[in-house]
Each structure stands twice: as C-alpha cells, then as structure tokens.
RNA sequence: GCGAAAGUGGCGGAAUUGGUAGACGCGCUAGACUUAGGAUCUAGUCCCGUAAUCGGGGUGGGGGUUCGAGUCCCCCCUUUCGCACCA
C-alpha cells in the first residue's frame, strides 16, 4: 500500500517530455489552419543570456505570458508564443577577454543554461521558432534591414560629438548615458568628436510621438517616451553679428520675450566662437573653451549651480531694435540642443537671471508680474511690458504676434524643436553585427548587395581595440578586411559593429517565420500575426528598446514590409522582484540562511542584524535562484507563487514562506482527486451531475468567471485566491462530482499545467488538458440565492440580514426597520430618511 | 526643481459605479491525530475594553463633499520611479 503523495519532481519532467514528444505547443503555419481560428500573439522581452543564469525576476513575466498563452489556446485561438535570445552584447565580450574564449562559445553556453532553466518551468513556447540575434541566419536580416535604412537615407556617417566611454573603449547612444555615466556599469563618459554611423530617428520624432496615443501601454511609459522625444514649440530667431557677415540662430519657446533679450550666449562648442571673438578676449575665451572640452558631462552638470562664462567681445544686433547685444560663451548652453545658442532673457528665465547677476548684465522684465511678486525671473502669466508692439498682450497672443513679425521681416520663423537626437549606431566592439558596407580608398561609402549577406564576424586574435585605437575588427586578416570592387578599386570593410539594440529592433518579426531563407519574414505571416497582442517585460526598456523598435517598425512600414504602424498593441511592465537582505551595524551582509529570529530581534550567529528589502544582488547575498525553488517545491509552485505574490506591475519582495503556501494549495488540490493511501481516485469523486452539489457548483461557476476575467486583465493574484477558495470549499464538500472536478482542472491548467495534466489523465481523459476547451460559466450560477444585507443606522453597521437575492426596496426597508439590533440604536427616534441599496445595504438616518 | 505613481493588520496583499475594510496566503495562538513533526486536520487571529454577548476606535496626517469615503475634492507629510542648465 504505497502512499501516493503529490510529487512534482517526478510528475513535472514526465509531462514536459510528453508535451515535447507530442509537439503540443507547435504554432500552426499551414494557411488553412491559420484561417480557421483567431490569432493571439503573446510576447516576452527576450533575455540577454548572462553568465549568472536566470533569477526569479525573469520568470515572473514569462509565467504571466504563459498563463495567457495557455488560456487563449483553450479558448480556441491560434497562439504564437515564442522565446529567443538577445545574444550580442558587452558582457560576453568582456568575459571573452577575461577567459580567453570566443564570445560565441560563452554565449552558446549561457543560452543552453537559460534554455534549460526556462524549460524546467514548463512554459508552452514553440521552440521551433527560437531565435538568437548572434547567429548569422539572424543577423543576416538585421544587416538586410540596415541596408533598407541606408537606401532611404536614414543611415549616414558623420563627424559628431559622441559619448565616449574610456573604460569600455567605445561610444554610446544618448539613451545609454545618464548623469554622465554608462547606465549599465556606471563608467564615466566624456564628449569627443568622432566619425560614426548615425540613424535619423529624428525624422520620425513627430510620428513616434503621435502614434503613442492610441496604444494600450502604461501611461508612465508613454509619458517617458514623450519626455524623451521632448517636443517644444517656439521660434527660431536670427541674430546678425555687428560689424561682420556672420549670423547665428537661436531657438526659443518664448519669442514674446525678445524685447527682454539683453545678451546672447553661445555654447563653448559653437563653431562661431572662434570666428567672432575679439583679439582682446581671445586668450580668455580659448582657455574657457578648452576647459569646457575637458569636462565630462558629469562634471558639467555637477557644477550646475555656479554659472560660468566669458565675454567674446562681439555683439549681436537685436532683430527688432537693432541695438547691440553682447555675446557670451557659457557652458550652461548645450551644443546638443536647439542650435547651441540662446537669446538670454534674464527677466523671464531663472538661469539667465543667475548669469546676468553674476556678470552684471542688464535685466529687463517684459511680462508684468503680479502685485507683491518678490522673486527673481518671472515665468508666470501676465501682460507684456517694455515690448513695443506687444505691450499689453497676454503670452500666447504675444508669441503669435512676434512670430508673425519675424516671418514678415525675414528675421526668423515659428519652429518645433525636439530633444530627441539622431541615434548613434556604431560601436567599437567585436561582439555585434558587422555593418554591410565598404569604404573605398577615396572615402566613398559603398553598401553591399543584398545577396552578399551575411557579412559574418571574422575571427580575431584578441577582442580589444588595436594599438592605434581601431575597433577589434581591424585585427581581422586582410582577406576579410580588404575587398576588390567589380570596377577594380580597392575597398576596406567597416570595422565598427552595430549596438546591442540592433537585433532586438525586429526579433518579434523573425518569430513569425523563423526559418525563412528568402526574406526576414513572409508577408503572409506578417499579415496574419501582427501586431503583437500582448508584450510583457521590464520597464527598464521604456526609452531604449521600445523606442528603437518602434522606429525600425515605422521604417519597415514605409518600406511596405509590415502592415501595422506600431508593433506592440498592448504593453505591460512587470514590477521588479526584490528580496530581504540582512546587514550588521558595520554594513556587512549575511546570507538569509544564517539569520535566525530570537525574540523580536534577528541574529546571524552572535551578531545582531537588521533587515531591509532591496534589489537582488550577489553582493547583498539575497539572490533567489529559480533552480533552488524548483528543486524544493517544483515548477508549478514556483509559477503560482510568482503570480500570487501581488499585482504583476508592482515591485514586491520574494518570501520563501509564500512558496510553501501555494505548495500546500497544490497538495490540497492533489488530495481532492487522489487518495494518498492507495493512489486510487479519491472516494468522494462521484459520477453524479454537478447539480448534486449545488453549493460547490455555484463556487465553481464563480471561479471560472473570476479566473477568466482576472487572467485576461492580468490580475493573476486574485485569480489564484479564487482557485484557493474553490479548493477549500471542495475539500469541505461531502462529494465531488467528476463534472465539477473536470471543469476546475481546466481552470487550473494555465497556472499549474503539470499538476492539471496529471490529475486530468488520472480522471481518465485521453487528450492533453493543454488542448482541452476552456469551461463556460453560467451567469445564473454565479449569484447566490440568498445574500447578506447590512443594516446601518446613521452610516454605522448595526445588523446583518439574510434576504432573497431579488428582494425589492420596500421589502428590504421593512425588514431593516424591523431589525431588533438596529432598533436599539434608534433610541425611539423616528427615521428621517431610509436609503436602500438593493443587494447591498439599508441605511436608516435619524 | 519638474513630472508620475503609491501609502491599508506582525508580513505579501483583497475590496464593482462611493455601499459589510482586511478576501486569499504567510506568520502566530490553541486543540486533534501522531513514536515524532518543520506533516496533516480543526478553531481563532485589525486594535482597545469585556468571561462572552457587546461597545468604542481604525485604511500616512488635517480639513471638506455625502445618508454613507480606503475610494471623490483641497492642504500637508513620506516613499518609489522617471526627467533635469532642453532655452
């Protein structure tokens, strides 16, 4: 008489093998099969396969998408649910330098580990469509799309000021730099002029902004993209320089304040600085410009409080009055925004005010501040003053009038400016996509033919820049580097590589048709599957991957290669999973296993420690590995806990005891169907109809309804609560009709698929529960016959009444007034008003 | 500084359009069954008072609207996240 307890460790590998063998999750590609059902494309942000392996944060999103994928399949959809690897990138290259192995070897090993870990969780991915951005079959098409961009004039080389990271030996995109540091490693970044590949994302600024509105995305992500694109409306104004032919443009959002412009400022990098500086000022200006050039962005922003600058000795002519206005150089004006020059209006701009005070420049108010205003620059509403033909006008009218004047007199025009810059698209790295271009000896850039792709990464002896600062690809042999053109000219290959974001710009399209050797994807597959119906991933990509991918998608749209203007219809960000960490007063961290509770204090051995919730990190000894969780409680418990912890979008701490709770729930579910003493079916299972257990039947239908709705809206924590309620009820019930058990298992199946399959087959079902039909609920069975009504006196709860569900107002009022408990609180007073909310409560007001 | 989101038991978190605050789970307490329990089952568990019935208080703080506020409005505090010399 062998005990047969719930044992995920035998049951989970068994069902995973059966799913594999039967190709249970193969996505159909046959046109007839596709046409027969509606589609659903549910996508995860594919991971970068790091050496550290998966942490419990990854599977949170993956579990949510898997539950949705399984639900949609059961509801009769063709589901596309793929997984792949964002496999080019810096860490593998650094590991290669460290360990002396090829990045491809290291990446391959990491991918194998990630795949193994992900497969243990029983996700219903179609592994036939797995993609890896570093394989030549894939990056061939990344290069192909680059050629499309080049053809359309959207890729160009230019000598531009770039973010150079000396520690990494490469340039970085604006999006990768924050506070003058590389966002991933914190290494400082400095400004340098270099000839680099750029992508004209700015051409798409307006569309990237406008097309955000209808998307079903979290509002804060849309807002972050809007801020990043940074649209502002204003005017471009031309200032001529006194006594010369030179002139410069400024951009301003406040053309109405032009009469308050008492000086102008050029950025230290502005090309005009060297041309207009007077001899007397030359030494001082040159020293200032040189100093600014040596500052990193970090230093430049750190010193933000103290404004510095020098006078060029030159004057500009005020566009309206013709008065001379001194021109200064100051590093609070950035070359990277607008035209790198400003008209300074200290009266209405605090930065200009600070600068004017420091250097004794005049201040003129052109907007009347309210009475009693004692601040410095005034930025609020008010009528124009000291402004000639604008006097008395409110700001919006004054702006329009000034723009009209400028346009009439050829002194400027209305203009929209964006914060978004063109995307710096090349890196001095080895482990990335080679550019499909050649450079002729005369400097001509020659794109390769489409049929010359892929340009494969050549072997090199070292993954470091060369002695003379060339990118690692310059180490390749001359047989790779040197090419003879059909016309006999010599050319060399581009030695920069594409940034790590390139491959992820279009991977969701490759999944549609992952083995196509003629095209990146077929038009038929694209038409059927796009757009992505649900995309889940971390918020860290809000302005990187998600902006870049939208840009490429729009280019592909303009090329007629995709049929939707946006790739991701619905986006959802899962919150980060945190963990408790333990520290003593010295700041030393202790592993959670070492910590025990004594009284109400925590100790690690003899040392008292305090606890806090932090991001998981190796150095804090608080990383939770999915492998450990699965080894202890199984994949189903892991899946369930990931979703039961709390709302998907929220940050929340991992609690080991929480996993035990859901594990117990799975055990109770097992015992509902299986008699643990002999392994046979539980004796309480009956063949009687569901209606033989009317109370349980009602709970079942409520459960189907709630789980279905909550799953669709990604409120999976409450869906799981409801399943727990069902199992608690079913455990209490005298009998369990098979009809009810069968329906419940199908509800459970998307969440705990291994256990559901096992119990389903034990009930004698032949097919896979993964392919079973989602049960329908009966609305009539979702409401109780008798409900509890609250009786309040003056808004305070005084009694509860059990009443039929359809009791009318009059009945409820009568019953409430007859309540003895409530009556006590009336203290003989006459009800002034009685409020009846059918189905809820009766409030007696005295 | 600007913008956004959020503050509910010992803990994670539930609460249709404003309508029983604390679902579900953890932890804790007591009991049962056990050779044993870090297994399982049963009961209890927001706080204060009470043997209990019951009463009072309670969703960061203060005010307001309402028969009724965790939910709506105003002010303040705290936390988290973006952006930040953007002209």
């Amino acid at each position: 008489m062998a005990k047969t307890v719930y044992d995920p460790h035998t049951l989970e590998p068994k069902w995973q093998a059966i799913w594999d063998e039967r190709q249970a999750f193969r996505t159909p590609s046959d046109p007839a099969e596709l046409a027969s059902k509606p589609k659903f494309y549910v996508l995860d942000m594919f991971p970068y396969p790091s050496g550290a392996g998966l942490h419990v944060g990854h599977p949170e999103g993956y579990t949510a998408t898997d539950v949705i994928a399984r639900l949609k399949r059961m509801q009769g959809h063709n589901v596309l649910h793929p997984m792949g690897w964002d496999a080019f990138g810096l860490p593998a290259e650094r590991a290669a330098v460290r360990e002396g192995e090829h990045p491809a070897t290291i990446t391959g090993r990491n991918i194998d580990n990630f795949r193994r870990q992900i497969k243990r969780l029983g996700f219903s991915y179609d592994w036939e469509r797995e993609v890896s951005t570093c394989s030549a079959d894939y990056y061939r098409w990344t290069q192909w799309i680059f050629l499309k961009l080049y053809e359309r004039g959207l890729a160009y080389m230019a000598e531009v000021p770039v973010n150079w990271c000396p520690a990494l030996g490469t340039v970085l995109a604006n999006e990768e730099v924050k506070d003058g540091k590389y966002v991933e490693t914190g290494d400082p970044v400095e400004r340098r002029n270099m000839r680099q590949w750029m992508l004209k994302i700015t051409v798409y600024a307006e569309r990237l902004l406008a097309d955000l509105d209808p998307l079903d995305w979290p509002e804060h992500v849309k807002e972050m993209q809007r801020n990043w694109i940074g649209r502002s409306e204003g005017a471009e104004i031309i200032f001529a320089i006194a006594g010369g032919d030179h002139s410069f443009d400024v951009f301003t959002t406040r053309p109405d304040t032009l009469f308050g412009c008492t000086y102008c400022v050029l950025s230290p990098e502005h090309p005009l600085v060297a041309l207009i500086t007077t001899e007397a000022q030359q030494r001082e200006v040159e020293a200032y410009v040189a100093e600014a050039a040596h500052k990193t962005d970090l230093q430049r922003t750190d010193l933000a409080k103290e404004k510095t600058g020098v006078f060029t000795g030159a004057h500009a002519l005020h566009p309206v009055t013709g008065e001379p206005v001194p021109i200064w150089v100051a590093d609070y004006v950035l070359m990277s925004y607008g035209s790198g020059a400003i008209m300074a209006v200290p009266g209405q701009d605090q930065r200009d005010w600070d600068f004017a005070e420091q250097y004794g420049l005049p201040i003129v108010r052109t907007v009347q501040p309210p009475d009693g205003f004692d601040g410095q620059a005034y930025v609020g509403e008010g009528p124009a003053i000291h402004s000639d033909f604008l006097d008395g006008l409110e700001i919006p009218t004054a702006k329009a009038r000034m723009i009209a004047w400028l346009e009439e007199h050829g002194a400027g025009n209305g203009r929209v400016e964006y914060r978004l810059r063109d995307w710096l698209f090349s890196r001095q790295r080895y482990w990335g996509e080679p550019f499909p271009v050649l450079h002729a000896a005369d400097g001509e850039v020659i794109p390769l033919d489409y049929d010359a792709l892929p340009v494969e990464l050549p072997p090199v002896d070292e993954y470091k820049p060369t002695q003379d600062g060339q990118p690692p690809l310059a180490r390749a042999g001359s047989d790779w580097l040197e090419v003879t053109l059909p016309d006999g000219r010599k050319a060399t290959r581009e030695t920069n590589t594409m940034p790590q974001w390139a491959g992820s710009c279009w991977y969701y399209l490759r999944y549609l048709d992952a083995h196509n050797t003629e095209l990146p994807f077929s038009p038929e597959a694209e038409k059927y599957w796009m757009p992505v119906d649900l995309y889940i991933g971390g918020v860290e990509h809000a302005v990187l991957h998600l902006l870049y991918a939208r840009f490429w998608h729009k280019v592909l749209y303009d090329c007629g290669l995709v049929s939707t203007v946006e790739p991701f219809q619905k986006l959802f960000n899962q919150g980060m999973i945190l963990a408790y960490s333990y520290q003593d007063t010295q700041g030393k961290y202790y592993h959670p296993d070492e910590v025990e509770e004594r009284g109400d204090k925590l100790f690690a051995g003899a040392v008292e420690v305090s606890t806090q919730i932090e991001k998981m990190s190796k150095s804090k000894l608080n990383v939770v590995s999915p492998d450990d969780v699965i080894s202890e409680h199984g994949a189903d418990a892991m899946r369930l806990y990931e979703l039961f912890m709390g709302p998907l979008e929220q940050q929340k701490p991992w609690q080991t005891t929480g996993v035990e709770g859901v594990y117990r729930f799975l055990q109770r579910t097992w015992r509902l169907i299986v008699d643990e003493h002999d392994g046979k079916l539980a004796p309480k299972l009956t063949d009687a109809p569901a209606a033989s257990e009317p109370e349980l039947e009602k709970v079942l239908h409520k459960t189907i309804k709630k789980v279905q709705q909550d799953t669709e809206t990604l409120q999976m924590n409450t869906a799981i609560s409801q399943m727990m309620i069902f199992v608690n009820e079913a455990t209490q019930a005298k009998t369990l009709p098979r009809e009810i058990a069968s329906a419940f298992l199908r509800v459970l199946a998307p969440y705990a698929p291994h256990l559901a399959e096992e119990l389903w087959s034990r009930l004698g079902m032949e097919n896979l529960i993964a392919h079973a039909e989602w049960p329908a609920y009966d609305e009539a069975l979702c409401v109780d016959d008798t409900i509890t009504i609250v009786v309040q006196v003056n808004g305070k709860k005084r009694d509860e009444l059990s009443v039929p569900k359809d009791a009318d107002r009059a009945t409820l009022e009568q019953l409430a007034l007859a309540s003895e408990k409530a009556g006590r609180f009336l203290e003989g007073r006459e009800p002034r008003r009685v409020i009846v909310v059918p189905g809820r409560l009766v409030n007696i007001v005295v």
Side-chain angles (χ1 to χ4, degrees):
Chain A
M1 199 171 76
K3 272 205 145 194
T4 315
V5 296
Y6 169 54
D7 179 19
H9 306 297
T10 55
L11 193 161
E12 289 175 353
K14 171 181 140 190
W15 284 103
Q16 286 169 16
I18 293 174
W19 292 331
D20 262 358
E21 197 181 300
R22 300 200 198 168
Q23 297 190 12
F25 308 118
R26 195 188 57 86
T27 314
S29 48
D30 171 59
E33 206 178 342
L34 291 179
S36 67
K37 292 179 182 177
K39 68 99 183 181
F40 198 85
Y41 185 1
V42 51
L43 180 67
D44 294 296
M45 286 186 191
F46 66 166
Y48 174 78
S50 75
L54 234 49
H55 57 77
V56 291
H58 288 107
E60 189 191 17
Y62 303 163
T63 308
T65 54
D66 193 59
V67 168
I68 296 279
R70 287 174 177 272
L71 172 69
K72 291 289 172 186
R73 250 182 238 116
M74 293 176 80
Q75 287 176 330
H77 289 74
N78 283 321
V79 171
L80 178 55
H81 187 218
M83 179 47 79
W85 319 106
D86 187 12
F88 274 135
L90 223 50
E93 186 168 324
R94 300 178 114 190
V97 171
R98 210 168 45 234
E99 294 158 29
E101 273 189 286
H102 195 280
T105 314
I106 294 167
T107 303
R109 197 163 55 222
N110 291 348
I111 287 176
D112 288 344
N113 188 42
F114 263 64
R115 192 191 299 105
R116 175 191 66 78
Q117 289 188 300
I118 287 178
K119 283 198 165 185
R120 280 188 82 185
L121 280 151
F123 295 133
S124 62
Y125 292 120
D126 179 1
W127 288 103
E128 300 274 301
R129 294 177 185 240
E130 178 180 348
V131 303
S132 168
T133 56
C134 70
S135 79
D137 301 345
Y138 182 90
Y139 69 69
R140 168 187 181 179
W141 301 111
T142 309
Q143 293 169 337
W144 190 92
I145 295 169
F146 176 84
L147 289 177
K148 292 281 173 198
L149 284 151
Y150 185 82
E151 255 171 35
R152 302 181 75 82
L154 295 168
Y156 63 98
M157 285 197 94
E159 175 89 15
V160 285
V162 298
N163 304 298
W164 172 260
C165 179
L168 300 174
T170 186
V171 299
L172 296 165
N174 290 336
E175 288 79 4
E176 293 171 305
V177 178
K178 194 188 152 183
D179 298 333
K181 296 185 226 164
Y182 176 42
V183 288
E184 294 291 325
T185 61
D187 290 313
V189 168
E190 56 189 51
R191 287 267 149 197
R192 242 191 218 195
N193 281 324
M194 282 176 80
R195 190 169 158 79
Q196 294 291 312
W197 280 100
M198 306 290 291
L199 296 187
K200 278 192 191 167
I201 190 171
T202 49
V203 172
Y204 285 81
E206 194 58 49
R207 283 164 70 186
L208 287 167
L209 193 64
D211 293 347
L212 276 173
D213 290 338
L215 295 179
D216 184 1
W217 283 25
E219 200 45 50
H220 73 279
V221 175
K222 290 196 203 179
E223 202 52 37
M224 279 166 74
Q225 291 216 353
R226 287 189 194 111
N227 289 340
W228 190 261
I229 296 166
R231 183 182 200 275
S232 45
E233 275 182 43
E236 189 174 57
I237 302 177
I238 304 164
F239 280 76
I241 288 165
D245 303 331
H246 297 298
S247 71
F248 62 94
D249 297 340
V250 303
F251 174 74
T252 177
T253 54
R254 294 293 302 276
D256 60 298
T257 63
L258 181 53
F259 289 100
C261 168
T262 53
Y263 64 103
C264 286
V265 184
L266 301 180
S267 156
E269 294 87 3
H270 199 287
L272 220 48
V273 172
L275 301 175
I276 62 165
T277 303
T278 58
E279 248 181 71
Q281 294 299 105
Q282 195 169 348
R283 262 194 34 214
E284 212 184 327
V285 169
E286 276 174 5
Y288 184 81
V289 169
E291 197 191 335
H294 284 116
K295 283 186 196 169
T296 62
D297 279 12
L298 183 59
Q299 289 167 322
R300 229 162 121 162
T301 47
D302 259 4
L303 303 167
K305 303 277 179 310
E306 278 295 294
K307 293 211 169 17
T308 60
V310 288
F311 179 44
T312 62
H315 289 80
L317 299 175
H318 190 284
V320 184
T321 64
E323 295 284 320
V325 174
I327 303 173
W328 286 65
V329 178
D331 68 0
Y332 82 94
V333 173
L334 308 174
M335 197 58 217
S336 58
Y337 186 74
S339 57
I342 62 158
M343 62 176 219
V345 187
Q348 273 76 229
D349 185 293
Q350 189 60 42
R351 294 158 298 172
D352 297 344
W353 178 289
D354 293 343
F355 192 82
E357 288 238 295
Q358 179 127 1
Y359 294 102
L361 293 157
I363 295 171
V364 177
R365 287 196 194 279
T366 60
V367 177
Q368 179 64 56
D371 287 346
F373 175 79
D374 60 353
Q376 302 181 327
Y378 175 67
V379 295
E381 308 270 304
I385 52 171
H386 307 131
S387 291
D388 196 331
F389 56 88
L390 300 179
D391 280 350
L393 299 176
E394 288 296 321
I395 294 169
T397 330
K399 279 184 182 174
R401 184 73 60 83
M402 180 53 87
I403 289 171
W405 189 96
L406 290 167
E407 288 176 353
E408 229 170 87
H409 292 80
N413 48 271
R415 181 184 163 138
V416 175
E417 181 67 36
Y418 299 92
R419 201 189 82 115
L420 185 69
R421 304 286 90 196
D422 274 349
W423 178 12
L424 199 158
F425 194 66
S426 41
R427 298 289 183 278
Q428 290 70 53
R429 312 303 317 180
Y430 174 77
W431 194 230
E433 297 87 349
F435 281 85
V437 296
L438 304 173
H439 298 277
D442 61 5
E444 189 194 348
V445 174
I446 302 158
L448 290 169
D449 286 337
Y450 288 96
D451 57 16
L453 303 181
V455 179
E456 294 203 43
L457 268 175
V460 293
D461 52 355
E462 264 194 281
Y463 310 104
K464 287 180 181 166
T466 61
Q467 291 290 323
D468 56 349
Q470 294 287 305
L473 288 191
R475 294 175 177 274
S478 57
D479 53 331
W480 186 84
L481 281 170
E482 292 167 16
V483 177
T484 306
L485 297 169
D487 60 13
R489 282 188 298 161
K490 298 271 187 210
T492 56
R493 289 192 191 272
E494 169 67 59
T495 53
N496 282 305
T497 52
M498 298 187 200
Q500 73 178 104
W501 307 103
S504 59
C505 276
W506 72 285
Y507 75 109
Y508 57 93
L509 292 165
R510 186 61 177 171
Y511 286 137
L512 308 179
D513 195 8
H515 303 290
N516 197 325
T517 53
E518 304 301 313
L519 286 169
F521 49 89
S522 78
E524 296 76 32
E526 188 281 328
K527 229 174 158 49
Y528 181 76
W529 288 111
M530 286 301 287
V532 174
D533 296 284
L534 177 63
Y535 192 24
I536 298 187
V539 75
E540 65 273 18
H541 293 122
V543 287
L544 288 158
H545 159 63
L546 287 169
L547 188 67
Y548 296 150
R550 291 181 63 222
F551 163 47
W552 276 38
H553 194 86
K554 287 181 189 304
V555 175
L556 294 174
Y557 178 82
D558 290 347
C559 293
L561 292 164
V562 298
S563 53
T564 62
V565 290
E566 284 287 331
F568 314 122
Q569 183 45 42
K570 176 168 179 157
L571 175 74
F572 197 92
N573 295 122
Q574 88 266 22
M576 201 189 313
I577 295 187
L578 310 171
Y580 288 90
S581 64
Y582 302 90
Q583 257 180 314
D584 63 21
T585 48
Q586 312 293 310
K588 182 176 183 252
Y589 281 96
Y590 294 85
H591 194 274
D593 289 350
E594 295 178 68
V595 176
E596 54 178 348
E597 208 179 325
R598 286 180 221 147
D600 53 359
K601 289 183 173 160
L602 296 167
F603 291 89
V607 192
E608 189 176 342
V609 295
S610 60
T611 182
Q612 64 223 308
I613 294 170
E614 292 186 283
K615 227 167 134 168
M616 286 189 197
S617 117
K618 254 189 201 165
S619 61
K620 291 170 186 159
L621 304 174
N622 63 347
V623 177
V624 181
S625 157
D627 281 334
D628 295 343
V629 179
I630 296 174
S631 299
E632 191 142 2
H633 296 294
D636 281 340
M638 165 103 197
R639 293 170 58 112
L640 230 39
Y641 180 62
E642 289 268 5
L643 300 175
F644 185 60
M645 291 173 78
L648 194 58
E649 68 277 16
Q650 222 167 76
Q651 288 204 355
K652 46 213 176 271
W654 186 271
Q655 290 181 307
T656 309
T657 50
V659 189
E660 286 161 22
V662 295
Y663 183 66
R664 274 175 220 158
F665 160 70
L666 293 171
Q667 287 179 309
R668 282 203 303 280
T669 308
W670 172 266
R671 286 195 296 265
L672 219 44
I673 311 290
V674 179
D675 186 331
E676 288 193 320
H677 299 290
D678 55 14
K680 292 183 181 155
L681 288 176
K684 76 194 276 185
L685 276 167
T686 70
D687 291 322
S692 65
E693 280 285 350
E695 288 310 309
L696 188 58
E697 189 187 25
K698 277 187 191 297
V699 179
L700 172 72
H701 282 263
K702 284 183 197 166
T703 303
I704 299 171
K705 181 179 178 183
K706 182 146 180 74
V707 173
Q708 183 178 321
Q709 288 177 347
D710 287 359
T711 305
E712 280 165 354
T713 52
L714 298 165
Q715 293 166 293
M716 288 150 170
N717 52 331
T718 48
I720 294 168
S721 305
Q722 183 61 38
M723 290 192 272
M724 288 172 167
I725 291 170
F726 174 86
V727 169
N728 291 346
E729 288 284 331
T731 304
Q732 303 281 324
K734 291 213 169 51
T735 68
L736 177 58
R738 277 169 173 270
E739 199 183 328
I740 291 181
S742 140
F744 175 71
L745 289 178
R746 280 174 285 154
V747 170
L748 178 69
Y751 286 84
H754 309 87
L755 175 62
E757 290 286 7
E758 176 68 22
L759 296 178
W760 182 251
S761 83
R762 280 176 183 252
L763 283 183
M765 308 297 189
E766 300 282 324
N767 65 334
L768 291 174
I769 200 166
H771 296 159
E773 198 178 323
W774 182 257
Y777 61 85
D778 181 347
E779 193 62 56
L781 289 172
C782 292
V783 283
D784 292 314
D785 299 328
T786 49
I787 52 175
T788 306
I789 287 282
V790 165
V791 182
Q792 296 181 331
V793 177
N794 285 342
K796 279 192 181 299
K797 178 184 161 188
R798 295 304 180 190
D799 198 7
E800 287 179 2
L801 300 174
S802 237
V803 301
K805 67 164 185 275
D806 43 11
D808 62 17
R809 286 169 174 278
T811 319
L812 289 173
E813 180 167 344
Q814 217 172 4
L815 286 168
L817 288 171
S819 156
E820 189 228 329
K821 282 181 185 171
R824 266 188 257 154
F825 289 88
L826 294 179
E827 294 163 357
R829 293 170 293 185
E830 273 307 298
R832 208 150 43 89
R833 210 172 139 191
V834 180
I835 287 136
V836 182
V837 184
R840 291 269 170 210
L841 55 67
V842 179
N843 188 11
I844 304 166
V845 186
V846 293

